[in-house]
Amino acid sequence: GSCTGMTCRCRCIELCVSSPALDPVEAASLIAAWRPSSTDPWGVSARELARTLETLVRDAPEAWTGDPVAVVQTLREPVYIDHYFRAVKASTAKTVKSAPTLIRAIQSVRRERWRPASLGRNDYEFEDDWTTVDSVSAELVAALAEANADLDDDLGLCWQLVIELTQDLPTDLGSADEYLDTSRHDDPLHRAINSTHGQGLRAVLALGGWEHRNKGAASDRLASALS
C-alpha cells in the first residue's frame, strides 16, 4: 500500500532501512518530509516518528553514523536531530570510530540553526527551538571523550563547541530566593545539571579528562573554561 499517513510512513521506514534499497539519508528524507494533518489519529506526532527514528538508529548505529553530517542536514528539525543524537550517544561503543564526523555534524547543527517547522500543537509533539539539541550535543561530546574517541584532529573544535554551550545562559537568571519554596519549583540543582550550560560544563570536564589520559595533562583550556 501507499505510505500516506504517519503510522504507515513509520512502518515503511522501519522496513526500508533494513533493506539495501534505502540508505539512512534516504530514510531521513522520508522522516523530514512528514507533516501533520487534521485527520491524524490520537498519538500520531513528530515526537512518535522521532522515537521510531531513535529505535532505528539504536538498532543499526554504524549504518546511521556513516555520514552523520548528511543525516542531520536532511533531518533538519530539532525534534528528529535530538532523538538521532540520543541514539548515537546510547550506542557510543559502536559509533566511537565515527567521532570526527559526529563532531562535524554537531558543528553543522550549531551553525545552520534551521527554522523549526510547526509539527504539532505543543512542545510534547515537537521541538520549537534548539535548546534540547544543544544539551544532547554536549552530552554526545562528553560521551565520545569518555569513550576515548580519536579527537586529536578535532580537539580544538570540541573545545569551541562545549565552551559555547557553557556560556549559553538564560537571559534572566532570576533570584535564588525564588527556589526557597521547593513545592513550586523543580530542584534547582537538577535543573542546572540538565540545562544546556550544565551539560556543556560536564563536557568540559570530560574533555579535560580525555586530555589527561591521552596527552598526559589537561590543557589550559580546562582552567580557562572553569574560570
Side-chain angles (χ1 to χ4, degrees):
S2 62
C3 290
T4 55
M6 188 181 109
T7 303
C8 187
R9 176 74 55 83
C10 288
R11 183 58 180 157
C12 264
I13 294 169
E14 289 172 350
L15 291 172
C16 292
V17 163
S18 62
S19 165
L22 191 70
D23 68 22
V25 175
E26 291 172 317
S29 180
L30 283 178
I31 292 169
W34 179 82
R35 289 295 182 270
S37 76
S38 59
T39 59
D40 289 332
W42 182 88
V44 169
S45 68
R47 179 74 63 191
E48 292 307 315
L49 184 53
R51 287 174 175 158
T52 297
L53 168 65
E54 184 172 347
T55 298
L56 294 173
V57 178
R58 284 175 181 254
D59 288 346
E62 291 101 333
W64 278 89
T65 53
D67 190 352
V69 174
V71 170
V72 299
Q73 289 181 346
T74 302
L75 290 172
R76 296 179 68 94
E77 296 297 333
V79 64
Y80 302 138
I81 295 174
D82 170 28
H83 285 266
Y84 173 68
F85 281 164
R86 288 182 189 281
V88 172
K89 179 177 73 75
S91 308
T92 304
K94 295 181 178 179
T95 60
V96 67
K97 64 182 180 294
S98 298
T101 49
L102 287 169
I103 296 300
R104 282 168 175 72
I106 294 171
Q107 180 190 35
S108 176
V109 171
R110 291 283 298 170
R111 181 179 61 242
E112 298 293 345
R113 311 301 262 190
W114 301 283
R115 182 187 296 276
S118 181
L119 297 176
R121 293 161 292 188
N122 52 55
D123 60 7
Y124 173 79
E125 294 187 345
F126 77 111
E127 300 288 341
D128 62 3
D129 63 33
W130 291 94
T131 303
T132 303
V133 174
D134 286 340
S135 182
V136 76
S137 295
E139 292 180 51
L140 179 52
V141 172
L144 291 170
E146 290 165 356
N148 262 355
D150 181 7
L151 301 177
D152 259 328
D153 292 340
D154 301 289
L155 197 55
L157 177 56
C158 288
W159 277 109
Q160 177 188 331
L161 289 169
V162 300
I163 289 173
E164 284 177 4
L165 294 171
T166 63
Q167 297 169 348
D168 188 10
L169 297 170
T171 304
D172 181 11
L173 294 174
S175 167
D177 292 340
E178 70 181 89
Y179 294 103
L180 292 176
D181 182 1
T182 56
S183 65
R184 296 193 303 112
H185 297 283
D186 294 335
D187 177 0
L189 178 60
H190 180 271
R191 180 181 295 184
I193 291 172
N194 289 283
S195 66
T196 298
H197 53 277
Q199 291 297 337
L201 179 58
R202 178 173 175 269
V204 161
L205 297 174
L207 285 177
W210 185 95
E211 288 183 329
H212 179 76
R213 292 189 302 275
N214 293 276
K215 303 289 189 181
S219 69
D220 293 341
R221 286 176 288 202
L222 174 62
S224 176
L226 295 176
S227 64

